[in-house]
Amino acid sequence: MSAGRTKSNGAAGESRLRGRGGPARRLSAANYDGSTSDGNFGHIGSADRREPTLTCASTSTPRLMPMARSECTCTMCARSTQSARGGQEWRRVTSPGLPHPAILAVDADPIALAATERELRERYSGHYRVLCTDSATEARAMLSQLADAGEEVALALAAQWLSGTTGTALLENVHRLHSHAKRGLLIPWGGWADQATAKAIFDAMALGQIDYYILRPAAPPDEVFHQAITSFLLEWTRSRRVAPHTVKVVANAWSGRAYELRETLQRCAIPHSFCLADSTEGRKTLAKAGSGAKLPLMLLPDGEVLSDPTNTEIARASGASVELERDEFDVVIVGAGPAGLSAAVYGASEGLATLVVDEGGVGGQATTSSLIRNYLGFPRGVSGGRLAEQAYEQAWVFGAKFLFMHKALNLERVGNRFSLEVSDGHCITSRAVILATGASYRRLGVPALEALNGAGVFYGGPASEGHAMAGKQTYIVGGANSAGQAALHLARFAHLVTLVVRGQSLRGGMSHYLIRQIEATRNIDVRTATTVVGGGGDGRLQHLVLRTGDEQATVAADGLFVLIGARPHTDWLPVEIARDRHGYLFTGDALPEDLESAFDREPFAFETSMPGVFAAGDVRRGAVRRVASAVGEGSIAIKLVHSLFAVSRLDPSSQRLTDEGYPASRP
C-alpha cells in the first residue's frame, strides 16, 4: 500500500473519531468487553456499570474503563503495553461453559481498527468474542489457537493492505481452519475507486477467497456497517444449523425415514439439523423428548416433540397450509418453485384470488442450491432455500393461499372452469391454471446405487447433507450450475470433492464465475468424459465404478450427489395437454398446428394446448433453465391470465364469473 493511501485513510478516520467529543455513553460489561465470561483474548472487563472514562492514548478518544484501572485497555493500547512489558502474547481468560464464537478483525490502520473494534464490541460482545489486531501474524495465531481448542470463528474481517500480506490472502486461509466462517474485506469509503482495491475485490470474489466486502464503520451508530455484519452472522448461524427456530431431527441412521424427514424439511425451506441417537447431541435431545418418544423424532423450536411424524404433520407443525377454507379461485398455480412463487406474488398483488398447490413445500429444485451468486439484486449471493422462503412470505403477505403436501392428481375442464383433484380427494376449481411443476433430476439407473438412495446416494444438491460429508470422499455427477454450486458447498466439509462430467469440459454448461472458483479450490477435482456405471456398499455407499472411455476404475466414495438432466413433472396431466417426447409442455407459437383447432383465437404465449391452462418455468418446452428466467415466466403468465380474462369478459375487480363466463354481480 502506498504511503499516500495510509495517510488519507488515517486522517479521515481520526477526524471522525475526535469529532464526537463529550463523555462516552455508559455500557454494561457484557456490551463493553465480556471477557471474563466468554474466554476473550486479552481484555478483562468488569460487571460494575459505574465505570469511569479515560482517554485512549492511541486514538485520543474517551473510552469506558473497568474500575481500578489507570490505563486504556483497547487493542492498540494493550499491544503497546505488551510491547513495553517484553512482548507478552495475547493471554486467554478461561471460564466455565462453552465459549462464544469469535469475530476477528484485522486492520493495519490504527484509527480504522479502533473504530471497527468500537462498533463490534458495543453491538456483539454479549454473544461473540471480539478479537481485534493490527497484525496478520497475530491473527493467524489466533485462528490456529481457536481451531486447536475446537472453538469457532463466526466472522473474519480484514483490511486489504496489511504488513507482509494482503487481507484477501489472510481471509482465503481462514477456511482452512474454520470452514464455516464468513469472510469480509474491509475497505474505506470510496475504496472501490482505487484500482488495486477494486481488482482485489473482483479477484477474491471470483476465486471464492472472500464472501463480500464491507465498508469500514463511520461515526456511530453506523447501521450500514451493522447490516452487513448481522447478515454475515445470520448466514453463519444457518450454515452451522444453529439459527433461531431450527428443527432438530434425531434417528438411528442417516437413511430410511430419517432421510425422508430431512428431505421434506428441506423442501419446506425449514432450517433443521440432524444427529444420530447415539451421539452426544442425540442423547441430549432424546432426554428432552422423554422416554415415550419414538424414532425418528423431531424437536420443534417451541419444545414440541413429534415422533415419526407424517409429512402432513411436519407441514402443519411448521405453520404451512395443509387445508383450505375455500375451493374456488381465479387462478390455481401447481408448483411452488421459483416460477410458481413468482406467479403467486404477481397474481395476489394484482387482486386475483390465487392458490398454490405443491406436493412438497416451497422452492422446488431451487432449494438444493446452496448459493446462487448471479441472481439480480443479491450481490453477495443467496441460497435457493432462502430465496424461496422470502418469496413465499412475500406472496403470503399479498394474500396468496397455499396448499402443501398435496399432490395434483388430475386436471379437467368443467364448463368454463377447471377442476383440479388433489391427493386428499378434494377438487379445487379455478378460471385459469398455471402449471409450474418444474423438473427433477434424472436417475442414474444403476440398481446397486438406487438401493442406497439416502444412504450416501442423493438426488439433488447437498444443502442438508454437507455436514455428514466432513472429511470424506464425495462425488458429484453433473456439469451445470447446480453441480458447480454443490461442489463449492461440499468443498467446505469434504476432504475431496470430485466432479464427474460426461462432457469434455465444464464450459459447455456452467457459468464462468463458477468455473473460476472450482479451478481455484484445492480440494475439488474434475473428471471429464466420465460416467458412473456402478457402485455399492454394506448398508451405505462405500465405492463407485467410473468409466472413462473404455477404461473402468473402482474408487472409494462416501457420498454421491446426482444432478444430471431433468425429468418434467407432467405424467399426471390429461392427454389433451400436449408434450414432447421428453415430457415438456408445448406452449404458444410452439404448439403443433393440429392442436390449434382447440382455440377460437390465437393461443397466448405460455398457453398449453388446453385453452386457459398456462405453463411457466422448467416444465415448459424451450424454457431457459435459470432461476431468474423461471421468475420472469411466472410474472408473464399472470399477465397472460389477465389477457385471458379480458377476452372472456371477466371484470378483474369482481374476481368471479358466472357459469356462462360473464362477470358475476357483486354480493
Side-chain angles (χ1 to χ4, degrees):
M1 179 177 63
S2 68
R5 183 184 298 118
T6 304
K7 183 176 181 180
S8 173
N9 292 342
E14 187 174 10
S15 174
R16 289 195 301 270
L17 287 167
R18 289 182 175 175
R20 293 199 308 274
R25 66 185 182 90
R26 293 195 176 276
L27 304 173
S28 67
N31 281 336
Y32 171 65
D33 197 79
S35 54
T36 57
S37 62
D38 61 16
N40 259 334
F41 288 84
H43 301 254
I44 299 178
S46 168
D48 197 318
R49 290 177 175 268
R50 298 170 297 171
E51 295 145 339
T53 60
L54 293 177
T55 299
C56 172
S58 299
T59 64
S60 300
T61 58
R63 292 178 59 89
L64 190 64
M65 295 295 111
M67 293 186 69
R69 297 294 294 268
S70 60
E71 57 187 14
C72 178
T73 58
C74 76
T75 298
M76 290 181 296
C77 290
R79 285 179 55 78
S80 298
T81 302
Q82 290 164 7
S83 177
R85 292 173 181 173
Q88 180 183 356
E89 295 294 327
W90 285 84
R91 55 199 177 85
R92 184 162 177 263
V93 183
T94 59
S95 63
L98 293 175
H100 291 318
I103 298 176
L104 172 66
V106 190
D107 199 325
D109 183 326
I111 305 299
L113 181 63
T116 300
E117 181 179 14
R118 175 200 69 221
E119 293 299 309
L120 293 176
R121 287 192 176 279
E122 290 186 2
R123 286 286 181 99
Y124 308 104
S125 61
H127 300 284
Y128 297 89
R129 282 171 295 161
V130 177
L131 311 177
C132 298
T133 177
D134 60 3
S135 166
T137 300
E138 192 166 63
R140 284 190 285 265
M142 291 179 186
L143 292 168
S144 296
Q145 184 175 349
L146 289 167
D148 291 343
E151 299 173 14
E152 297 197 73
V153 174
L155 174 62
L157 306 172
Q160 174 62 2
W161 312 114
L162 303 173
S163 176
T165 187
T166 62
T168 52
L170 176 65
L171 293 174
E172 179 185 16
N173 290 324
V174 168
H175 269 188
R176 297 183 183 179
L177 297 172
H178 303 275
S179 61
H180 294 282
K182 296 300 173 182
R183 301 159 300 168
L185 186 68
L186 288 167
I187 68 169
W189 187 91
W192 50 82
D194 177 77
Q195 290 188 359
T197 300
K199 186 177 187 303
I201 294 172
F202 300 153
D203 291 344
M205 288 292 296
L207 300 178
Q209 296 171 332
I210 65 174
D211 293 297
Y212 208 57
Y213 68 90
I214 300 177
L215 293 180
R216 283 169 171 164
D222 187 343
E223 300 304 338
V224 173
F225 175 79
H226 290 297
Q227 181 183 34
I229 297 297
T230 54
S231 295
F232 274 132
L233 295 177
L234 175 60
E235 292 169 7
W236 178 80
T237 60
R238 285 177 173 269
S239 70
R240 296 300 292 129
R241 310 283 171 160
V242 293
H245 316 305
T246 297
V247 174
K248 295 183 178 181
V249 180
V250 182
N252 284 321
W254 284 88
S255 58
R257 181 57 183 161
Y259 170 66
E260 294 173 357
L261 290 180
R262 300 196 309 278
E263 187 178 42
T264 299
L265 290 168
Q266 179 176 321
R267 282 165 32 200
C268 290
I270 299 173
H272 61 280
S273 63
F274 175 80
C275 58
L276 295 172
D278 60 356
S279 67
T280 301
E281 183 64 27
R283 287 190 289 269
K284 289 180 181 178
T285 305
L286 287 174
K288 293 179 182 178
S291 58
K294 179 182 177 183
L295 295 176
L297 66 79
M298 288 172 46
L299 179 62
L300 304 182
D302 62 1
E304 181 182 358
V305 176
L306 299 180
S307 293
D308 194 15
T310 65
N311 290 354
T312 300
E313 288 173 332
I314 294 173
R316 183 179 288 113
S318 66
S321 303
V322 294
E323 296 170 350
L324 289 177
E325 297 177 355
R326 55 183 291 184
D327 57 11
E328 276 195 42
F329 295 87
D330 287 324
V331 58
V332 169
I333 302 161
V334 186
L341 290 171
S342 172
V345 168
Y346 281 90
S349 67
E350 293 170 12
L352 299 179
T354 304
L355 172 69
V356 181
V357 179
D358 196 285
E359 65 176 304
V362 296
Q365 191 170 293
T367 58
T368 65
S369 295
S370 55
L371 184 66
I372 304 170
R373 268 200 54 212
N374 58 351
Y375 189 79
L376 184 67
F378 291 87
R380 285 168 45 188
V382 61
S383 70
R386 182 60 178 158
L387 183 65
E389 183 182 347
Q390 291 180 315
Y392 164 68
E393 293 174 3
Q394 189 176 13
W396 181 82
V397 167
F398 279 125
K401 305 299 181 184
F402 289 83
L403 185 63
F404 294 133
M405 302 300 167
H406 283 69
K407 186 175 183 179
L409 299 179
N410 187 46
L411 176 65
E412 61 180 346
R413 182 189 293 278
V414 180
N416 287 309
R417 295 181 175 87
F418 296 97
S419 177
L420 178 71
E421 181 185 356
V422 294
S423 51
D424 67 354
H426 281 82
C427 289
I428 303 158
T429 62
S430 65
R431 305 298 177 185
V433 174
I434 298 176
L435 301 173
T437 49
S440 60
Y441 294 111
R442 294 189 180 277
R443 315 293 283 196
L444 283 174
V446 178
L449 295 178
E450 294 297 331
L452 296 175
N453 187 27
V457 177
F458 308 97
Y459 286 90
S464 63
E465 307 297 337
H467 294 264
M469 297 294 119
K472 297 183 178 180
Q473 305 270 355
T474 61
Y475 286 76
I476 298 171
V477 182
N481 277 8
S482 55
Q485 292 160 357
L488 291 169
H489 179 69
L490 274 177
R492 296 164 52 193
F493 309 95
H495 172 69
L496 178 66
V497 178
T498 302
L499 262 175
V500 180
V501 184
R502 184 175 56 182
Q504 297 298 319
S505 75
L506 293 176
R507 288 172 175 78
M510 191 177 293
S511 294
H512 177 66
Y513 81 91
L514 284 171
I515 295 175
R516 286 193 67 187
Q517 281 189 255
I518 288 170
E519 291 174 344
T521 304
R522 294 179 176 85
N523 62 331
I524 296 181
D525 187 22
V526 180
R527 297 186 63 158
T528 58
T530 302
T531 57
V532 176
V533 296
D538 184 11
R540 186 174 178 85
L541 179 68
Q542 294 173 324
H543 70 273
L544 293 171
V545 180
L546 306 180
R547 176 182 292 164
T548 305
D550 296 330
E551 298 182 358
Q552 288 191 177
T554 299
V555 295
D558 301 294
L560 174 67
F561 296 85
V562 182
L563 299 96
I564 56 172
R567 180 178 58 83
H569 297 287
T570 57
D571 295 343
W572 63 279
L573 291 171
V575 295
E576 293 92 331
I577 297 181
R579 62 213 87 175
D580 66 13
R581 63 188 181 91
H582 299 294
Y584 294 100
L585 303 182
F586 288 108
T587 57
D589 294 339
L591 285 172
E593 292 184 5
D594 60 324
L595 297 177
E596 293 184 2
S597 59
F599 293 82
D600 56 5
R601 53 175 171 77
E602 285 292 320
F604 292 111
F606 298 179
E607 194 170 15
T608 69
S609 56
M610 180 178 283
V613 177
F614 299 85
D618 289 357
V619 73
R620 193 178 65 83
R621 186 175 187 268
V624 178
R625 282 158 181 74
R626 291 286 189 269
V627 173
S629 298
V631 169
E633 291 197 6
S635 66
I636 293 171
I638 289 297
K639 175 64 172 68
L640 298 174
V641 167
H642 283 297
S643 299
L644 171 70
F645 290 170
V647 301
S648 302
R649 290 173 289 183
L650 170 67
D651 177 4
S653 65
S654 74
Q655 298 189 6
R656 294 195 301 146
L657 279 176
T658 63
D659 288 338
E660 293 75 28
Y662 291 94
S665 60
R666 292 176 180 270

